[in-house]
Amino acid sequence: MNEIKRVIAITLLAIPWAAAALAATLAAPLDRAPVTIRYIHKVEDAPGETVVSRRSGFQEALGAALARQLKRPVRFMPLPRKRMMGALEAAEGDIVCGYSPAWFKGKVDWTLPFIPTSEVLIASRRVPPPATLEDIRGKTVGTVLGFQYPQVQGRLGDGFVRDDAPSLELTLRKWQGGRFDYFLATGVTVERQFASGELDAGFSQLVISEERTGCALARKGTLRVADVNAAIDAIEKSGELKRLLRLR
């Protein structure tokens, strides 16, 4: 009888431990499921944006490439430019790529810079080609609402006279309509607009700066700088980055 009682007691003690072990085993695969990357990018259907300018798939391709390297699924979150930083700071998204700390200021972490870009000043055929930025001091320049131009602002100060539009495409239309003689853009955007016929020949171009941009990460998000830097390095070494850059 004592032996039977001892076996029953051991069995009863073991059941909670067995149940806990089984629960942990069942839960483990769920715990290890990769967390989706929330990839924020500028909304592609801004007012005035044309079909040609929406065709670039660079952001989606870059997000997919980073996700493959990080072995995680990705969800794209198109947002207006003014909402992107707030979404990162509130950890509503994880990453924004194609910007620099000078353009995109906020409480975020930054990866290494890896996307080559240039800022250019476009002048109409109605005016002499500017040799330096100082040639346009006090003259109206087409700009995009909410976008920072630190190089121009730093050199011209109060002489930087902006005429903001909600999108670059609307800025281009205003420039073509004679509202002003100059506008600012990235070099790759101007190349794409010229190739598509959106920008007619006859303009002059002044390169203001050339640099590389990176990705901003939410400090309370699900990505870490070291991991994303490793993914960027792998994309560069494999040659995939060159292919991605042709999509801009």
Side-chain angles (χ1 to χ4, degrees):
M1 181 62 68
N2 289 338
E3 182 63 21
I4 293 174
K5 289 181 179 180
R6 187 175 70 83
V7 171
I8 292 173
I10 292 173
T11 302
L12 290 175
L13 287 172
I15 287 174
W17 290 102
L22 178 60
T25 301
L26 292 174
L30 294 177
D31 293 340
R32 289 197 296 267
V35 179
T36 297
I37 297 169
R38 298 163 299 172
Y39 189 100
I40 299 171
H41 63 98
K42 184 176 73 70
V43 67
E44 296 293 349
D45 57 352
E49 201 156 21
T50 64
V51 173
V52 173
S53 62
R54 286 198 299 267
R55 204 156 24 195
S56 171
F58 172 70
Q59 288 289 344
E60 289 83 356
L62 176 60
L66 290 173
R68 284 196 302 273
Q69 292 295 332
L70 294 165
K71 295 181 173 57
R72 289 172 55 177
V74 61
R75 176 166 62 90
F76 294 99
M77 297 176 56
L79 291 176
R81 188 192 311 277
K82 284 189 171 183
R83 289 183 53 198
M84 293 195 300
M85 179 54 75
L88 282 183
E89 290 181 327
E92 295 170 355
D94 295 306
I95 184 170
V96 169
C97 292
Y99 292 85
S100 73
W103 303 349
F104 197 60
K105 296 180 179 179
K107 297 177 181 178
V108 295
D109 294 323
W110 286 92
T111 68
L112 57 85
F114 67 104
I115 305 170
T117 188
S118 63
E119 187 175 24
V120 298
L121 174 73
I122 301 299
S124 73
R125 68 181 74 188
R126 296 184 297 268
V127 296
T132 69
L133 267 181
E134 285 65 30
D135 291 342
I136 65 163
R137 185 183 302 276
K139 299 177 181 178
T140 302
V141 180
T143 49
V144 177
L145 182 66
F147 198 81
Q148 302 298 316
Y149 303 88
Q151 291 274 357
V152 182
Q153 186 66 58
R155 289 173 61 178
L156 298 185
D158 293 340
F160 181 26
V161 182
R162 298 177 59 143
D163 187 317
D164 285 338
S167 68
L168 180 59
E169 284 67 28
L170 286 178
T171 295
L172 176 59
R173 291 182 189 179
K174 292 166 72 173
W175 177 79
Q176 290 171 329
R179 287 277 297 276
F180 38 75
D181 290 313
Y182 310 94
F183 74 90
L184 290 164
T186 61
V188 68
T189 301
V190 170
E191 291 174 6
R192 189 170 71 240
Q193 288 174 324
F194 180 68
S196 68
E198 294 178 76
L199 183 60
D200 295 331
F203 63 89
S204 61
Q205 176 174 299
L206 174 67
V207 177
I208 297 168
S209 65
E210 293 181 293
E211 60 180 301
R212 289 178 180 268
T213 61
C215 300
L217 305 183
R219 289 179 177 172
K220 295 182 180 180
T222 67
L223 291 173
R224 296 295 172 263
V225 171
D227 296 331
V228 181
N229 279 342
I232 291 169
D233 185 59
I235 291 170
E236 287 184 311
K237 288 181 177 177
S238 69
E240 185 175 10
L241 181 60
K242 290 183 179 179
R243 179 183 63 80
L244 295 175
L245 291 174
R246 289 196 290 268
L247 297 175
R248 293 188 297 171

